[in-house]
Amino acid sequence: MNQSALVIIPTYNERANIPVLIAGLMQHAGVRVLVVDDNSPDGTGAVAEELGRQHEGRVSVLHRTANRGFGRSYIDGMKQAISEPVDLICQMDADLSHDPAQLPALIAAAAHADMVIGSRYIPGGRIVNWPMKRHVLSRFANAYIRAVTRVSAHDCTSGYRCWKRSALAKLPLDRFFSDGYSFLVEMLFVAHRRGCRIAEVPITFVERREGESKVSRAVLLESAITPWRLISNPESSRKAAPAPRNP
Ligand SMILES: Nc1nc2c(ncn2[C@@H]2O[C@H](COP(=O)(O)OP(=O)(O)O)[C@@H](O)[C@H]2O)c(=O)[nH]1
Ligand SMILES: [Mg+2]
C-alpha cells in the first residue's frame, strides 16, 4: 500500500473491541489511527492511550469532554486529520462491524475517487447477524434517502468510508448540522453536491458482539427529517465554486 491513511474511530464504551480493531489495522503498513473518545464511562479512553503507547507514532487519541456525539466526534477528528500529512482519511466503527481486513480495498478504490463507501448494498456486500427488523429499517432508510436527495450511492448510511484528504479538506465541516447516522448522510450529500467522485466497494458488515448499539429513537427521528432538511438548505445544496479560468 503506497498511500498513507489515517483512520478516525469514534468510540463510546468500546473497551473490549478497540484493542482487537487496532491490532487488525496495525497489520497494514502506512495506516495510522486516531481514536476519538467521548469520555467513555467504561474507560475506553485509557485503553486507547495504552494502545497509543504500544504503537508509538501510529495510534493517537483525542479525548472529548463536552457535548457527546457521533457527528461532533467525527468533526473534531477530521479537523485534526486534515492538517496531518496523509493522503487518505478513513472512517470506521469501533465495534468490529467493519472488518479491518477490508480497508485495503477501500484504499485502492480511492485512487479513482474522492470518497469511497464500504457498501452493504452492492453485489458482493453482506450483512451478518442482523434481525429482520434491522434489515428492513436500513433498506427503507436507504431507499428513502436516495429518493429524497437523489444521491446515487447504494449505501448512504455506511460508516466505513475513505476520503482523499484533499477532498475532505474542501468540505464545510463547521456547517454540518446533524449528529447521528444523519451526519453520514449529510456528509455524503454535501460531497455529492460539490462534485466529489463517489465510489462504492462491497463489504461484509458484522453486527457487534460486545457492547451496545447507541442507536436511539432520537437518532431515528433525526434520520427521517434530515433528507428534507438537506434538499431545502441552500448551504448543503451549494455546488463547489467553479475553478478560476486563469489560474
Ligand atoms: N465518540 C463517540 N462515538 C460514538 C458515539 N455514539 C456512537 N459512537 C461510536 O460510533 C460507532 C457506531 O456506533 P454503534 O452504536 O455501533 O452504532 P450502530 O452500529 O449503528 O448500532 C461505534 O464505534 C461507537 O462507539 C458518541 O456519542 N461519541
Ligand atoms: Mg455498531
Side-chain angles (χ1 to χ4, degrees), residues 11 26 32 41 54 58 68 71 75 91 118 129 133 136 139 144 167 180 191 195 209 218 229 234 246:
T11 55
M26 291 298 100
R32 289 198 289 128
Q54 281 170 28
R58 290 189 74 192
R68 191 196 131 193
I75 289 176
Q91 304 174 238
N129 281 347
K133 199 173 98 186
V136 172
R139 282 277 185 186
Y144 177 78
R209 277 198 233 133
R229 233 182 128 176
N246 304 310

Side-chain angles (χ1 to χ4, degrees), residues 14 22 26 36 48 85-86 126 132-133 171 188 200 217:
E14 303 286 2
I22 287 184
M26 291 298 100
V36 187
V86 286
R126 283 182 64 211
M132 186 51 78
K133 199 173 98 186
L171 300 188
L188 170 62
E200 289 180 275
R217 280 188 189 204

Side-chain angles (χ1 to χ4, degrees), residues 10-12 14 36 38 68 73 94-95 134 181 208 213-214:
T11 55
Y12 192 73
E14 303 286 2
V36 187
D38 251 340
R68 191 196 131 193
S73 294
D95 59 355
R134 192 86 198 255
Y181 276 122
R208 67 160 73 238
S213 167
K214 285 103 209 164

Side-chain angles (χ1 to χ4, degrees), residues 116-136:
V116 180
I117 303 176
S119 178
R120 298 161 293 184
Y121 299 131
I122 57 171
R126 283 182 64 211
I127 296 170
V128 177
N129 281 347
W130 262 11
M132 186 51 78
K133 199 173 98 186
R134 192 86 198 255
H135 277 284
V136 172

